[in-house]
Amino acid sequence: MSTITTKNADESKHHCAACGDSDDGCGSLKACTACNLVKYCNRSCQVAHWPAHKKACKKRLAKHHCCAACGNSDDGGGSLKACTGCNLVEYCNRTCQAAHWPAHKKACKERAAELFDKKLFDEKLFKQPPPNGDCPICYLRLPIDIRQGKYQSCCGKMLCCGCVHAHTVATSDTEKVKCVFCRNEAISSDEEDIERLKKRLEANDAWAIVRLGSYYEYGVTGLQQDHAKALELYHKSAKLGNHLAHLSLRICYQTGGIGEKDTRKAIYHRQLGAMAGDVDARYDLGCDEGNAGNMDRACKHMMISANSGCDLSMKAVQGGHKSGFVTKDDYAKTIRAHGNSIDKMKSDDRDRYAATCRASLGS
């Protein structure tokens, strides 16, 4: 029995049956809910492919309550047993299953592998990412808000803005601006900035690579705008696990601003960004799952993000608990983890820096 009729099995695993676009294995394609034989990018692709798919889909539905080997029907009584490997076909008994195995073997193994790949990806997706590293000056965990950190191209260190601000205030009348960590003088020109970043690029510094990529994207600091180079650097930084690079790629593919628009790749990089520790990407994934009605997955995303200290996600978990989607035990664990993360990122210098920023915005 062939389980793939409109496209061959190899192509259909990660390709839209209508337009042929691939999801690169990230699971963004949606299966036909009637027959589960083919997948589509979206509703438009499904509608466009319906004339070609209709016959196979209805044939699959007609056989839904029939043994794949002998064709006998259970009249919807539930006496047939689904193949445990793929869940695509049903049998009267073990004898029918064994008789049909030569015809079903290839499709079964392909579907089982597909389900296993998705399960492995979900295991990685819903794993709590490691916390941010510590600021090398105050030895407190770096903030989850990337705007509260400052990358130093002289030494490749990421410092918290609290320490940078405190040092700037303390030395404003006594010395030139220097790196708090390595004591090198701050850059004085665009050329010096580029030179330092390129040196860090040779050391495979992910933060330097993504920053240089942004310079090429926008054509700033004396560099000529080069979208191809920007994408190349973003991908290189992303492979090193930099969540800002995944955010940049997600925006590129979502808007089509510096390349082809590709919604599936945008979703994929949002997922990878969340796995790399981007709490905002994780929160967005939770919102998407909630809007799709997948409340269990939505709550998992929100709890992971809240554990890292995201206040928006903590409020979402609180709402999930009130609505009965989050258990009392999970809610209590999330509250404790959220509080612990906040405490580990809190300092007087960081509070003073935040107050200065608010005051400058207010003025």
Side-chain angles (χ1 to χ4, degrees), residues 121-236:
F121 185 79
D122 275 359
E123 286 178 359
K124 294 178 182 178
L125 180 62
F126 290 110
K127 184 179 179 181
Q128 184 74 42
N132 287 341
D134 293 341
C135 168
I137 304 300
C138 63
Y139 295 105
L140 296 175
R141 184 183 296 177
L142 286 165
I144 55 175
D145 185 349
I146 194 171
R147 296 168 297 181
Q148 303 298 314
K150 184 174 177 59
Y151 173 74
Q152 305 294 103
S153 59
C154 47
C155 54
K157 297 295 184 183
M158 180 66 75
L159 311 179
C160 75
C161 288
C163 288
V164 175
H165 175 69
H167 176 75
T168 302
V169 171
T171 61
S172 58
D173 298 328
T174 60
E175 64 177 38
K176 294 181 179 180
V177 178
K178 293 182 178 180
C179 172
V180 192
F181 184 80
C182 69
R183 308 302 296 156
N184 277 316
E185 289 189 10
I187 54 174
S188 57
S189 66
D190 289 343
E191 291 76 11
E192 188 179 358
D193 186 19
I194 298 299
E195 183 181 354
R196 285 184 175 182
L197 287 176
K198 286 184 175 180
K199 284 183 179 179
R200 295 304 309 167
L201 185 147
E202 292 173 2
N204 265 351
D205 184 331
W207 284 107
I209 296 170
V210 71
R211 175 176 287 189
L212 199 57
S214 69
Y215 289 174
Y216 277 110
E217 179 179 357
Y218 299 106
V220 296
T221 64
L223 291 178
Q224 186 175 357
Q225 192 175 51
D226 187 336
H227 288 168
K229 185 66 174 179
L231 280 174
E232 177 190 337
L233 291 171
Y234 286 154
H235 278 289
K236 184 174 181 179

Side-chain angles (χ1 to χ4, degrees), residues 10-62:
D10 289 334
E11 290 179 340
S12 65
K13 287 177 66 177
H14 297 299
H15 288 76
C16 173
C19 67
D21 284 353
S22 170
D23 68 351
D24 295 322
C26 67
S28 60
L29 297 180
K30 304 299 181 184
C32 171
T33 54
C35 65
N36 203 38
L37 293 179
V38 292
K39 295 182 177 181
Y40 300 101
C41 304
N42 48 47
R43 177 67 177 169
S44 298
C45 278
Q46 186 176 22
V47 171
H49 189 247
W50 177 242
H53 176 56
K54 179 166 65 174
K55 184 176 179 180
C57 188
K58 290 187 174 182
K59 183 178 179 181
R60 166 68 178 158
L61 286 176

